[in-house]
Amino acid sequence: MKQFPKNFLWGAATSAYQVEGAALLYGKKASQQDVINEKSFEEKGFASAEIASDHYHHYKEDVALMAEMGFSTYRFSISWSRVFPDGVGEVNEKGIEFYRKLIDELLTYGIEPIVTLYHYDLPWALVEKYQGWLDRRIVTDFEYYAKFVINEFKDKVKYWTTINEQSIIVQYWTQKCYIPKELQSQNQLRYQINHHMNLAHATACKLVHELVPDGLVGAALGYAPIYPLTAKPEDVLAALNAHDLRNAFYLDIYFKGIYTESAMTYLQENHLAPIVEPGDMDLIREGYSDFLALNYYASECAKACPKESGKAIRYSGVNLSGKKGEISGFETHPGFYEMCKNPHLDTTDWDWAIDPIGLEYAFRDIYTRYNKPLMITENGLGAFDELTPEGKVHDEYRISYLRDHIKAIKRAMEKGVEVWAYCPWSALDLLSTSNGVKKRYGFIYVDRTDDDPKDCARIKKDSFYWYQKVIQSNGENL
Ligand code: BG6
């Protein structure tokens, strides 16, 4: 089999609000995630973002553990409201200092930072001011924040990702953005938010190109290839429709600077299309991407959904319990497609299809269509890990998941796909976006529960030692 190139980047990923904690300390003010997660703590008993994995106070220990695993890269995000507590205006010196120290610590160990500018945690002040991403003014404020951060780290950070998972923000908008109750039925706003994010993404790409010597920039996209449920032509066409609205709709913006025709037509017919102002598409074209950072967890499946089905438009459901099969429904667009379960694939306890071939398929397909380098900035298995009385975590299910996905990357590379980095989710256990801290992803166990933050002690899981060997052998010893 083809080998990973010598300079291949091995690491893992996290995001600010999901690991840092110190949510309202050291000058940081609330982000929309602090508010959203406080609510889900009260309503569902999931941990809040207040302490998360307490990475803010453990960052040195965490980076040392990453170095012990052999990381050559680490993908993390910067919390906008830690740097600018009010979104714009006065910088919080202590906030930016935290990221200076984190980046310097990484560089001391020779770990290349991959910085994400935005991972769901909009400053709450901007939600209060003009409802955040719902308002175009956000683009100017994002530029202000991005310019400051990029300038600050332009000599230390080469790889930048802009906005995390626009596609997932459209699907699960009330989880990822604060949307007032009275607006939650207005689905057009999902695509309007996305349009504002396209403008913000393009702005950040331009800034990296202007300010960072040899800087490289791209979006981190939540991506699932879509299979037809059957070979019936109606289902195959439905899968193409789903691909156009759920995948191409983002990729075509990043790499071609256009909105996918079929998806836009569908949205227009259903009064869901975003308002695009003169000059917007020029900006989008100017803010081109150098690579695509892919967050891959699962593939998806679609079937035909005739207009006459009598069904209404709906968006993706979630599984809140962690019991297989309790997902609360599938995205439906009558006359275009309906998502469904793939009967050929096993799933995680939260109903996410486990499909390493889907990653190989996605890589091949995206590379053929756009011919740009790819990196994995998320890939992983959420599971109920158990800490044994001996202080061990035997997570062989995670090892098996990751092993199969690394093999899939290798197979895609053998067919010519250019891949730069592998950053599974996540370096350490963290606050899940939808299921609290009991759904764990890390190589490093964080000793806390949803209702008791305990001391957040770090414990190496079996996967920690396995990944160490993988990295040592540059992906040969799987
Ligand atoms: C990705 C996000 O969608 O999936 C992460 O970028 C998230 O922030 C990850 O944690 C896993 O999803 P969840 O809901 O299990 O946390």
Side-chain angles (χ1 to χ4, degrees):
M1 277 185 108
K2 190 181 169 104
Q3 295 186 336
F4 284 94
K6 283 220 159 56
N7 58 352
F8 190 81
L9 296 169
W10 294 97
T14 63
S15 92
Y17 88 87
Q18 294 179 269
V19 284
E20 284 178 7
L24 299 176
L25 298 178
Y26 315 113
K28 179 179 174 298
K29 287 191 187 169
S31 80
Q32 63 182 3
Q33 286 305 331
D34 297 319
V35 175
I36 292 169
N37 282 277
E38 188 56 39
K39 257 221 158 83
S40 55
F41 174 66
E42 286 157 15
E43 289 170 6
K44 301 179 197 127
F46 297 148
S48 74
E50 188 190 348
I51 296 174
S53 306
D54 202 24
H55 173 67
Y56 189 95
H57 298 111
H58 288 251
Y59 81 92
K60 277 192 179 223
E61 181 186 353
D62 291 339
V63 173
L65 287 165
M66 292 176 204
E68 191 181 330
M69 268 187 278
F71 282 19
S72 46
T73 191
Y74 171 50
R75 179 220 172 195
F76 62 95
S77 76
I78 291 188
S79 156
W80 184 346
S81 68
R82 193 176 294 290
V83 178
F84 291 108
D86 295 310
V88 284
E90 280 285 291
V91 68
N92 172 28
E93 204 26 62
K94 274 198 181 133
I96 194 68
E97 186 58 20
F98 171 69
Y99 296 107
R100 277 189 207 120
K101 287 195 289 199
L102 173 63
I103 288 172
D104 286 346
E105 194 72 11
L106 291 167
L107 294 175
T108 310
Y109 287 104
I111 299 174
E112 178 95 49
I114 299 176
V115 171
T116 298
L117 287 166
Y118 179 78
H119 198 121
Y120 307 151
D121 52 353
L122 188 72
W124 182 248
L126 299 182
V127 177
E128 288 190 317
K129 200 161 159 189
Y130 49 64
Q131 299 198 325
W133 287 106
L134 286 163
D135 192 293
R136 259 183 96 93
R137 279 174 283 178
I138 190 74
V139 181
T140 316
D141 289 347
F142 181 79
E143 180 174 10
Y144 180 86
Y145 154 70
K147 192 173 193 171
F148 177 85
V149 171
I150 293 167
N151 253 325
E152 177 71 38
F153 296 118
K154 64 183 176 198
D155 298 322
K156 295 183 175 172
V157 175
K158 175 176 173 186
Y159 297 102
W160 297 83
T161 66
T162 54
I163 295 181
N164 186 68
E165 295 197 346
Q166 285 179 237
S167 56
I168 300 297
I169 294 172
V170 168
Q171 285 296 319
Y172 302 99
W173 70 329
T174 56
Q175 242 177 47
K176 316 298 180 195
C177 292
Y178 181 86
I179 308 293
K181 271 238 151 52
E182 63 277 15
L183 298 181
Q184 291 182 7
S185 58
Q186 296 186 32
N187 287 324
Q188 184 273 346
L189 295 175
R190 296 176 189 250
Y191 301 96
Q192 196 61 49
I193 283 180
N194 182 59
H195 183 65
H196 298 153
M197 290 191 171
N198 286 337
L199 300 173
H201 159 83
T203 303
C205 288
K206 281 180 73 172
L207 285 168
V208 170
H209 290 140
E210 278 161 29
L211 301 172
V212 186
D214 302 324
L216 295 163
V217 62
L221 183 63
Y223 190 97
I226 296 157
Y227 307 139
L229 179 62
T230 73
K232 271 201 307 202
E234 290 84 350
D235 286 342
V236 176
L237 195 61
L240 180 64
N241 290 338
H243 171 81
D244 284 357
L245 186 58
R246 296 170 62 110
N247 293 331
F249 194 63
Y250 307 92
L251 294 173
D252 284 348
I253 286 286
Y254 302 148
F255 295 119
K256 296 181 178 169
I258 56 168
Y259 271 115
T260 312
E261 211 49 63
S262 56
M264 207 46 166
T265 305
Y266 169 78
L267 293 179
Q268 279 158 353
E269 284 168 0
N270 289 279
H271 314 290
L272 295 171
I275 296 161
V276 178
E277 294 193 0
D280 285 359
M281 299 314 290
D282 296 328
L283 170 62
I284 286 172
R285 264 189 300 275
E286 286 160 19
Y288 62 89
S289 298
D290 301 302
F291 61 84
L292 179 71
L294 211 74
N295 295 352
Y296 177 83
Y297 290 88
S299 59
E300 298 269 6
C301 191
K303 61 182 180 183
C305 178
K307 237 194 175 125
E308 317 70 61
S309 64
K311 294 184 178 171
I313 290 179
R314 62 164 298 163
Y315 288 82
S316 302
V318 267
N319 177 327
L320 291 173
S321 65
K323 283 195 201 114
K324 277 191 197 187
E326 292 200 348
I327 188 155
S328 62
F330 291 94
E331 191 197 9
T332 308
H333 289 281
F336 213 39
Y337 64 86
E338 178 176 1
M339 305 307 289
C340 56
K341 183 175 159 54
N342 185 335
H344 303 288
L345 295 172
D346 191 12
T347 69
T348 70
D349 289 332
W350 285 268
D351 291 319
W352 298 24
I354 300 175
D355 183 18
I357 292 177
L359 174 54
E360 183 181 357
Y361 180 90
F363 266 4
R364 294 271 308 277
D365 189 40
I366 296 170
Y367 195 69
T368 303
R369 287 173 198 253
Y370 302 99
N371 215 250
K372 289 283 180 185
L374 298 162
M375 46 169 101
I376 285 289
T377 40
E378 288 184 33
N379 170 232
L381 181 75
F384 294 104
D385 291 345
E386 198 191 312
L387 182 64
T388 69
E390 299 76 40
K392 307 270 185 218
V393 180
H394 302 305
D395 57 342
E396 60 290 337
Y397 37 87
R398 178 166 297 108
I399 294 174
S400 148
Y401 176 100
L402 296 173
R403 176 192 291 125
D404 289 347
H405 284 79
I406 295 173
K407 283 184 184 166
I409 296 173
K410 262 191 166 180
R411 290 195 299 272
M413 288 168 77
E414 277 170 1
K415 296 280 191 303
V417 178
E418 188 180 349
V419 188
W420 286 351
Y422 183 62
C423 296
W425 191 259
S426 46
L428 60 152
D429 289 344
L430 40 69
L431 175 62
S432 150
T433 61
S434 51
N435 303 98
V437 297
K438 65 174 73 60
K439 183 190 204 180
R440 295 175 182 271
Y441 283 93
F443 293 110
I444 301 162
Y445 186 90
V446 175
D447 192 17
R448 66 158 298 169
T449 62
D450 277 306
D451 37 44
D452 184 0
K454 301 197 221 170
D455 58 357
C456 287
R458 274 47 176 160
I459 294 156
K460 300 170 201 170
K461 299 184 192 177
D462 288 359
S463 56
F464 178 104
Y465 299 104
W466 168 80
Y467 196 42
Q468 189 177 47
K469 285 192 192 129
V470 172
I471 299 176
Q472 249 164 30
S473 63
N474 198 26
E476 289 306 296
N477 186 354
L478 289 172

